[in-house]
Amino acid sequence: MQENLQKLNSEQLQAVTQKKGPILIIAGAGTGKTTVITTRIAWLIQEKLAKPEEILALTFTEKAAEEMETRVDQLMPYGYFDLWISTFHAFCDRIFHTDGLEIGLSTDYKLLTQTDQWILMRENLDKFSLNYYKPLGNPSKFIQALITHFSRLKDENIKPQKYLEYAESLAENFDSKMDKEKLIGEKQKIIEVANAFHAYQNLLLENNFLDFGDLINYTLELFQKRPLVLEKFQKQFKYILVDEFQDTNWAQYELVKILALDKNKPVNLTVVADDDQAIYRFRGASTSNVLNFIKDFPQARIITLKENYRSKQNILDLAYNFIQLNNPDRLEAVGTMARQKNKENTISKSLHANIGSQGIIKHLECSDLENEIQKVMQRIRKIIQKNNSSYSCFAILSRTNSGLEPFINGLRKNNIPYLWYSSRGLYQKKVILDILAYFKLLDSYHESSALFRVLNLPIFQIDYQDIIQINFWSKQRGISIFQTLKAIESNPLFLMQKDDLTEKHTAYKLKEESISSIKKFLALAQKHTALVSSNSKISEIFLNFLNDSGYLKLIEKQSEQEKKDNFAYLNQFYKKIQKFEEKLLNEPTLKNFLIRMNIEMESGDTGVLEADLDAGPDAVRVMTVHSAKGLEFDYVFVVNMVDKRFPTIEYKDQIEIPKNLIKEILPQGDAHLQEERRLFYVACTRAKKGLFFTSAQDYGGMRAKKPSRFLIEAKIIQQPIMKIQPIKDKLFDFSIAKPNSQTSETGVKKRNGYLDHKLSFTRFKAFNTCPKQYEYQFILHIPTRGSYTHSFGTSMHNTMLKFFQKLQISYNHQQSSFFSASKDDNLLSSVSWQELKEIYQSNWVDAWYENKKQKEEFFRKGLKELKKFYDLHKKKWPNVMFLEKGFNLKIGDWRINGRVDRIDKLENNTVEIIDYKTGRAKNKLQSDDKTQLFLYQWAVEEILGLKVEKTSYYFFENNQKLSFQGKAKDIEKVKQKFSETGEKIKDSDFTPSPGFHCQYCDFKEICDERKV
């Protein structure tokens, strides 16, 4: 131990060897905080100030706890047991298994993951009495938001009853009627959420479930309500140490305090923190806990570790000067002010490098994403050649995982080994999507989208054009792809047969190789279907497919990096299957497994990915800045340093905690920007010798990207003086070519042979959302499942059409001209509400609803909305000119067609265009929201020669109309948009543009690039 103490600097030695009292160790990046905390534990034991079981050390991840325990073990000259080094949650779990019964909680509870919570709420939505937060159109819409909100409430240790009391106590004095209505609405929402919170807690207790927030709060409640239990643990733990204290939330700090504040002994509490590295606010972390510690323990000794053993001085200076922009909310500023009042030394967090010379700090300015990737690759190779460095000395960091994907493909194409640390995304990997598609096929042969993906697998070697034609033929005949394959198996010339439905199409002859492959595929599917029918284990079916199909052999032939990645993904998914089988011993069927997978993915769970950055080959480490915390590398590349990528745009919680209930000290400045600055600080301080920032002007959009404001704030670049001009959208894609995709020029021409040169708003929207979606839907015509929302919308539209047609007939009987400018407002009263009900009933589309209850709910919803519509308008019905008026415009080689729901004649010989929407009106329409009606206005004015005074969306859910008028420039802009879209479609290779919209895409199950 004496040798270990001699290796410490003076500040570290003081922190390790203090015998009594509270200590705040301010440990900047690379200052050896883990060394200090582990050496202190070993020192306390060897000095016999405490036995191992009398020390409690808390941290935040299992990996950190394991590392801490290993380091202590290395420092100890002899063995030990009962050393309490763990995460907060593991500590509370241990307490509960011994003392949980003291507050009536069973010790055999099940701990729920976030996905488990989502499923529990989804299955019990009827118990939550939700109104605002359970829209009929998407009942599951707010489940994740509610779960996140409940978690935040537990971080603040806010009980459901306290939440309800707050809602009831909202002020009753209002400045105006508008303020009153607004506050009443807010009050109702808070009461609804508070009641849901209460119902959620009851549901957990009824089923013997706990979530992670419960572990902390119930342990705190146990200590508060059972003083004898608290006293037992206060006596046991003579010393308490908390690592990464800046990442604690309010409830965790309360738990630490109640354990430490024993009136019968000194407060031997040591916390290690760096507020400049607090980057988990989105998880509930409260940076103010560090400030509260100083307030709660004014006698605490504050020791600042300033000697850095990692980075060159100029890298440290850059990071320190930058992070001071977060003043006055930083500990250095606030803590210094507090200490100055007590005439103590100020707090300084300026770090001093222990290693000499200067590091490399460089900004790599790039023209586009391709150029950015290549510059990073070239710089890595250049440094390796010059310094004989290994690949593991390098890290590529990005603010988000999505920003890393092009660099992963760039590394692969440049044959540079890499290890990608991504905590989520297993279910989005190509090999897993392949397995799931095959499972879906075995569950139901009529899953055409799954079958389409399986047929494209290179293991089956079926010609891509043959697959397209089989799919096209199936669509035309109204049969499934599988039925077509069976027909081909019996008669290889099946597609050559003449059919009335396909008279306009040339008979197609399949290649002999494809016919042979189809027969092999059908034999394989039949073999594995027999396994499903005999209730074989899912893991058995999984392994049989991998071996029988040749899938494993295919992976074996891939590059070393791909082989490693894909085998790892398959292994992790195999473990997932095994856990499912263990959990459902009675019914671990393939169907139940697929149901579970669908629910998990619907909840937003993309699957846990495991990666050990300390193990594995010599490879470049690729990760987000969050994942890089606690790690260090010789050379760090921080990529995508442009506006809105780093720093990101703030996305607040959908349901926020009322500020009056928040217990932490809120920052004076912009909390989101401060958090982003701390992330940038963390990114910079990972680098030892070289720090590179990269940015590009062109990331595929229509406008050039500005460099990140952080590059300017950190004085890495000067304020750019540049005029941002629109730039051509580049279809650059680093993704690996798909098997049989035929993305060559010849392949594109073949695909374009299926183009029909038709455009509509639906097609326009699909292509501009994602070109791949357009190809799947309008070129390949892959069958898709219907949706209940579409059924409901069709029901309402058809009802409106029939109702106004009936009004027209009734009106014609009463006066000579239905469209006369003068009319009696009561002439239409002959069409009663009862008749409208009957029209609705006869036009109800009874399809695609998930269950009888949902169908009945939607039927009642439509009836209620129609009744309100009838009551609102029965005294003055609109003067309808056209219903469901179709149009066809021509622009270049493209025909644009559509159908206008309703055109009303106004009193000044102008018209109003009406388009029905079954949802709720938005507070404000964005520019893109108006495109559809601008298109209709263009058609009405150009084809019918009518003057459009206004265009309107009519929203049935709240019977509200939003109106606006397109100016000449708006119409010209729409023409230009459609013309440009047509040209892009004609020349497109349908490169996907994944994003938030993927979760709503009908083809997300078969698309490799999806993001859900």
Side-chain angles (χ1 to χ4, degrees):
M1 177 54 64
Q2 194 59 37
E3 289 179 6
N4 289 318
L5 294 180
Q6 288 176 355
K7 297 176 183 177
L8 304 177
N9 61 45
S10 59
E11 289 82 10
Q12 290 175 329
L13 186 63
Q14 292 173 41
V16 166
T17 58
Q18 179 161 318
K19 293 184 177 181
K20 294 181 180 180
I23 313 172
L24 168 60
I25 302 173
I26 303 172
T31 56
K33 71 176 182 63
T34 305
T35 297
V36 168
I37 201 167
T38 53
T39 306
R40 177 164 174 74
I41 293 170
W43 182 81
L44 290 171
I45 295 171
Q46 291 196 34
E47 290 295 309
K48 301 188 184 308
L49 294 171
K51 299 175 183 178
E53 66 270 22
E54 293 174 335
I55 299 173
L56 172 64
L58 297 171
T59 187
F60 283 85
T61 66
E62 293 290 349
K63 184 178 179 181
E66 184 179 345
E67 181 186 356
M68 194 182 296
E69 190 168 346
T70 300
R71 296 273 289 269
V72 171
D73 184 57
Q74 291 170 347
L75 291 167
M76 296 287 289
Y78 49 83
Y80 58 88
F81 58 90
D82 281 342
L83 184 62
W84 287 60
I85 297 178
S86 71
T87 64
F88 272 91
H89 294 115
F91 167 70
C92 293
D93 185 61
R94 190 170 176 179
I95 298 292
F96 261 97
H97 279 98
T98 58
D99 297 274
L101 290 173
E102 292 284 341
I103 55 173
L105 290 173
S106 173
T107 57
D108 62 346
Y109 60 86
K110 177 188 175 183
L111 187 61
L112 299 184
T113 64
Q114 195 171 77
T115 300
D116 292 330
Q117 293 172 263
W118 192 94
I119 294 172
L120 181 69
M121 282 197 67
R122 186 179 184 271
E123 292 176 344
N124 293 275
L125 268 179
D126 57 324
K127 298 180 181 179
F128 286 86
S129 301
L130 296 173
N131 182 21
Y132 181 86
Y133 290 107
K134 185 189 173 185
L136 277 177
N138 184 7
S140 304
K141 178 179 180 180
F142 290 104
I143 291 180
Q144 192 57 59
L146 287 165
I147 290 171
T148 300
H149 187 62
F150 298 160
S151 176
R152 298 289 181 267
L153 291 169
K154 291 179 182 183
D155 291 342
E156 295 281 334
N157 195 23
I158 299 170
K159 301 291 191 294
Q161 188 57 41
K162 182 72 175 177
Y163 205 177
L164 275 171
E165 290 172 1
Y166 167 77
E168 296 293 347
S169 68
L170 287 173
E172 296 296 335
N173 297 318
F174 310 102
D175 295 333
S176 66
K177 181 180 179 182
M178 183 178 294
D179 290 341
K180 180 177 180 179
E181 290 176 352
K182 183 178 179 180
L183 192 54
I184 289 174
E186 192 65 27
K187 179 177 178 179
Q188 289 172 340
K189 285 199 291 185
I190 292 174
I191 291 175
E192 182 175 319
V193 172
N195 282 324
F197 187 28
H198 187 267
Y200 171 74
Q201 285 305 110
N202 286 338
L203 191 61
L204 292 177
L205 293 173
E206 289 168 5
N207 291 278
N208 198 25
F209 296 152
L210 294 180
D211 61 27
F212 286 98
D214 288 330
L215 283 176
I216 307 297
N217 288 341
Y218 280 136
T219 304
L220 186 56
E221 185 178 326
L222 171 67
F223 289 159
Q224 291 169 338
K225 291 185 175 180
R226 298 293 182 264
L228 291 179
V229 175
L230 173 61
E231 184 180 351
K232 178 178 72 171
F233 287 104
Q234 283 178 331
K235 286 181 178 179
Q236 176 179 340
F237 300 124
K238 293 182 179 180
Y239 289 87
I240 299 174
L241 303 94
V242 183
D243 192 17
E244 304 287 6
F245 183 66
Q246 76 278 353
D247 294 332
T248 56
N249 59 43
W250 179 271
Q252 288 167 334
Y253 181 38
E254 290 297 300
L255 181 64
V256 169
K257 280 196 298 184
I258 200 170
L259 276 170
L261 290 170
D262 182 1
K263 61 184 179 181
N264 298 315
K265 64 178 177 63
V267 180
N268 295 324
L269 172 61
T270 301
V271 298
V272 183
D274 182 9
D275 61 305
D276 291 333
Q277 295 187 77
I279 58 173
Y280 293 109
R281 185 177 182 84
F282 68 96
R283 292 182 186 171
S286 172
T287 55
S288 67
N289 281 347
V290 182
L291 303 177
N292 284 327
F293 181 88
I294 297 173
K295 178 182 176 182
D296 296 335
F297 302 99
Q299 76 279 24
R301 185 177 185 181
I302 300 178
I303 300 172
T304 305
L305 307 182
K306 296 192 291 184
E307 190 167 356
N308 178 280
Y309 296 90
R310 176 187 299 162
S311 306
K312 301 290 187 179
Q313 188 62 52
N314 59 333
I315 295 175
L316 297 177
D317 290 343
L318 180 147
Y320 176 70
N321 293 332
F322 171 81
I323 200 61
Q324 290 189 84
L325 293 170
N326 275 358
N327 289 337
D329 293 312
R330 293 175 59 248
L331 176 62
E332 188 176 40
V334 179
T336 293
M337 291 175 60
R339 290 169 70 82
Q340 283 176 338
K341 291 180 180 178
N342 298 323
K343 298 182 179 179
E344 299 179 59
N345 292 331
T346 59
I347 297 173
S348 173
K349 296 179 64 182
S350 177
L351 301 179
H352 306 294
N354 183 263
I355 51 180
S357 72
Q358 296 289 294
I360 304 169
I361 300 176
K362 194 169 184 63
H363 172 230
L364 304 179
E365 188 175 4
C366 312
S367 58
D368 54 28
L369 179 58
E370 179 179 3
N371 184 231
E372 183 179 3
I373 294 168
Q374 288 305 323
K375 280 191 177 182
V376 171
M377 305 300 131
Q378 290 167 5
R379 185 67 61 160
I380 289 173
R381 290 196 183 282
K382 182 178 179 181
I383 293 173
I384 287 175
Q385 291 170 0
K386 182 179 179 181
N387 303 330
N388 197 27
S389 301
S390 63
Y391 283 117
S392 56
C393 295
F394 298 85
I396 298 175
L397 308 183
S398 172
R399 175 63 180 85
T400 62
N401 260 314
S402 60
L404 293 169
E405 291 175 5
F407 289 88
I408 291 292
N409 291 320
L411 289 164
R412 188 183 294 128
K413 285 194 169 187
N414 283 273
N415 296 316
I416 296 176
Y418 65 89
L419 183 61
W420 185 10
Y421 182 77
S422 176
S423 59
R424 314 295 300 180
L426 176 64
Y427 305 154
Q428 297 174 337
K429 301 303 178 186
K430 181 184 182 301
V431 289
I432 305 306
L433 291 171
D434 290 344
I435 300 296
L436 287 172
Y438 192 72
F439 279 2
K440 290 175 183 178
L441 171 64
L442 295 181
D443 182 55
S444 172
Y445 285 158
H446 300 293
E447 278 280 355
S448 291
S449 61
L451 179 52
F452 183 84
R453 182 184 184 93
V454 172
L455 292 178
N456 272 283
L457 294 179
I459 53 176
F460 296 117
Q461 297 181 334
I462 302 174
D463 183 80
Y464 185 66
Q465 292 301 320
D466 287 350
I467 295 173
I468 291 177
Q469 191 62 36
I470 290 169
N471 182 60
F472 180 74
W473 201 262
S474 302
K475 179 79 172 178
Q476 291 297 316
R477 293 193 173 195
I479 60 177
S480 70
I481 295 177
F482 190 83
Q483 288 173 303
T484 303
L485 294 178
K486 291 295 289 182
I488 292 170
E489 182 184 34
S490 302
N491 178 13
L493 299 177
F494 175 70
L495 298 190
M496 296 290 291
Q497 294 176 340
K498 189 176 180 181
D499 186 47
D500 292 339
L501 294 175
T502 58
E503 285 181 350
K504 296 182 180 179
H505 301 277
T506 304
Y508 188 89
K509 185 177 181 180
L510 295 173
K511 296 176 180 62
E512 291 296 331
E513 296 82 359
S514 294
I515 295 172
S516 176
S517 296
I518 288 170
K519 290 179 179 179
K520 290 178 182 179
F521 160 74
L522 290 172
L524 189 74
Q526 184 178 3
K527 176 184 177 181
H528 295 154
T529 302
L531 292 176
V532 177
S533 301
S534 61
N535 292 322
S536 297
K537 294 179 67 175
I538 308 164
S539 53
E540 182 182 350
I541 300 169
F542 173 80
L543 293 173
N544 270 273
F545 168 71
L546 292 180
N547 287 287
D548 295 344
S549 66
Y551 202 91
L552 289 180
K553 290 182 179 179
L554 178 71
I555 295 175
E556 180 64 32
K557 294 177 181 178
Q558 294 175 339
S559 68
E560 287 301 314
Q561 184 69 55
E562 288 180 294
K563 186 191 307 183
K564 174 184 173 297
D565 290 345
N566 288 328
F567 277 140
Y569 301 147
L570 288 174
N571 185 47
Q572 291 173 41
F573 193 63
Y574 185 52
K575 291 178 182 177
K576 164 79 179 177
I577 293 171
Q578 290 176 314
K579 286 182 181 179
F580 176 81
E581 291 173 337
E582 292 169 5
K583 184 179 177 182
L584 289 181
L585 291 175
N586 295 327
E587 292 185 291
T589 63
L590 182 67
K591 182 177 288 293
N592 286 337
F593 178 72
L594 290 173
I595 290 172
R596 171 72 188 197
M597 289 298 300
N598 286 335
I599 292 174
E600 285 193 21
M601 287 189 273
E602 185 183 349
S603 75
D605 189 350
T606 58
V608 176
L609 275 172
E610 301 169 3
D612 186 356
L613 290 173
D614 298 325
D618 178 23
V620 175
R621 271 45 177 173
V622 186
M623 68 195 82
T624 64
V625 180
H626 278 104
S627 300
K629 188 171 182 290
L631 303 174
E632 58 184 40
F633 308 92
D634 283 356
Y635 303 95
V636 169
F637 293 83
V638 188
V639 299
N640 291 177
M641 287 299 303
V642 293
D643 182 41
K644 296 181 182 178
R645 293 200 174 193
F646 200 174
T648 60
I649 300 171
E650 181 176 12
Y651 293 100
K652 294 184 178 180
D653 288 339
Q654 285 182 278
I655 310 172
E656 294 186 303
I657 300 176
K659 288 187 177 181
N660 291 346
L661 291 177
I662 296 175
K663 299 170 183 175
E664 65 175 296
I665 302 170
L666 297 175
Q668 297 178 36
D670 185 326
H672 170 71
L673 185 58
Q674 290 180 356
E675 179 99 344
E676 292 291 300
R677 285 200 183 108
R678 292 193 290 269
L679 267 171
F680 185 77
Y681 178 84
V682 167
C684 294
T685 53
R686 299 311 94 197
K688 295 180 180 180
K689 302 175 181 178
L691 180 58
F692 300 90
F693 304 96
T694 68
S695 64
Q697 289 190 35
D698 182 2
Y699 287 92
M702 295 301 293
R703 288 185 62 83
K705 281 285 186 181
K706 297 179 182 179
S708 167
R709 62 179 288 173
F710 288 172
L711 294 177
I712 300 166
E713 291 179 351
K715 296 181 171 57
I716 297 164
I717 64 173
Q718 298 296 318
Q719 180 74 38
I721 304 174
M722 58 181 293
K723 185 176 181 181
I724 306 299
Q725 298 286 349
I727 55 178
K728 186 177 180 181
D729 189 4
K730 303 186 72 172
L731 293 173
F732 168 73
D733 180 18
F734 261 114
S735 62
I736 291 180
K738 312 300 183 299
N740 295 324
S741 64
Q742 295 196 26
T743 55
S744 65
E745 183 180 353
T746 303
V748 172
K749 286 182 179 178
K750 286 183 179 179
R751 289 191 184 193
N752 285 344
Y754 290 96
L755 292 177
D756 53 10
H757 290 275
K758 290 181 182 177
L759 265 180
S760 64
F761 177 73
T762 303
R763 293 188 174 205
F764 169 89
K765 187 176 179 182
F767 183 86
N768 286 288
T769 299
C770 176
K772 197 69 177 176
Q773 181 189 97
Y774 181 94
E775 182 190 26
Y776 282 147
Q777 186 172 358
F778 297 110
I779 295 180
L780 299 179
H781 300 287
I782 297 175
T784 58
R785 187 181 185 277
S787 70
Y788 60 84
T789 53
H790 183 265
S791 295
F792 181 67
T794 302
S795 300
M796 297 295 284
H797 275 73
N798 289 345
T799 298
M800 286 290 98
L801 172 63
K802 300 297 182 184
F803 174 66
F804 277 106
Q805 284 177 342
K806 192 173 182 67
L807 281 177
Q808 286 180 331
I809 294 170
S810 174
Y811 209 36
N812 286 333
H813 283 129
Q814 297 176 61
Q815 64 179 53
S816 58
S817 174
F818 179 76
F819 305 113
S820 173
S822 60
K823 62 180 180 179
D824 186 341
D825 291 340
N826 296 317
L827 283 177
L828 300 180
S829 61
S830 58
V831 182
S832 65
W833 159 242
Q834 183 60 36
E835 288 176 287
L836 177 54
K837 278 180 63 176
E838 292 172 358
I839 293 171
Y840 176 59
Q841 289 168 340
S842 63
N843 284 278
W844 175 254
V845 179
D846 192 359
W848 299 111
Y849 290 95
E850 294 179 1
N851 50 56
K852 183 179 178 181
K853 181 181 178 182
Q854 186 192 53
K855 180 171 62 179
E856 290 173 348
E857 281 184 340
F858 268 84
F859 184 87
R860 290 193 296 269
K861 166 184 163 71
L863 208 58
K864 181 180 177 181
E865 291 169 359
L866 288 172
K867 182 63 168 71
K868 189 170 182 180
F869 172 84
Y870 185 88
D871 291 338
L872 282 171
H873 299 93
K874 64 181 180 181
K875 292 184 178 180
K876 189 173 180 62
W877 292 107
N879 190 352
V880 178
M881 182 175 282
F882 297 107
L883 293 168
E884 295 291 332
K885 186 69 173 175
F887 65 84
N888 196 308
L889 293 164
K890 194 171 186 300
I891 183 166
D893 296 330
W894 291 83
R895 286 175 292 130
I896 306 172
N897 52 51
R899 189 170 296 276
V900 183
D901 289 341
R902 203 175 85 213
I903 302 174
D904 294 346
K905 185 177 182 180
L906 304 180
E907 294 181 355
N908 55 356
N909 290 321
T910 59
V911 297
E912 177 183 5
I913 296 172
I914 305 289
D915 188 75
Y916 302 127
K917 300 292 180 186
T918 52
R920 175 175 288 271
K922 297 182 179 181
N923 293 330
K924 185 180 180 181
L925 292 175
Q926 302 299 319
S927 176
D928 287 345
D929 296 326
K930 300 178 180 181
T931 301
Q932 183 179 5
L933 286 185
F934 286 159
L935 170 64
Y936 292 174
Q937 181 176 339
W938 170 24
V940 168
E941 291 180 338
E942 183 162 316
I943 299 173
L944 298 179
L946 299 172
K947 183 178 180 181
V948 178
E949 181 173 315
K950 59 181 175 179
T951 61
S952 305
Y953 288 118
Y954 191 94
F955 295 88
F956 281 108
E957 188 165 326
N958 53 351
N959 271 277
Q960 183 178 340
K961 188 167 68 173
L962 295 183
S963 303
F964 52 91
Q965 183 188 38
K967 307 298 183 185
K969 63 178 181 179
D970 298 319
I971 306 303
E972 285 302 315
K973 191 173 181 180
V974 167
K975 291 179 181 179
Q976 183 180 355
K977 282 182 178 179
F978 273 78
S979 178
E980 290 173 351
T981 299
E983 291 305 306
K984 287 181 181 179
I985 291 172
K986 188 165 59 176
D987 299 330
S988 181
D989 61 357
F990 303 105
T991 301
S993 54
F996 179 77
H997 50 269
C998 290
Q999 60 185 308
Y1000 303 110
C1001 181
D1002 290 327
F1003 310 99
K1004 60 185 177 183
E1005 302 298 334
I1006 62 173
C1007 181
D1008 292 343
E1009 308 298 331
R1010 67 174 186 172
K1011 292 181 180 178
V1012 293

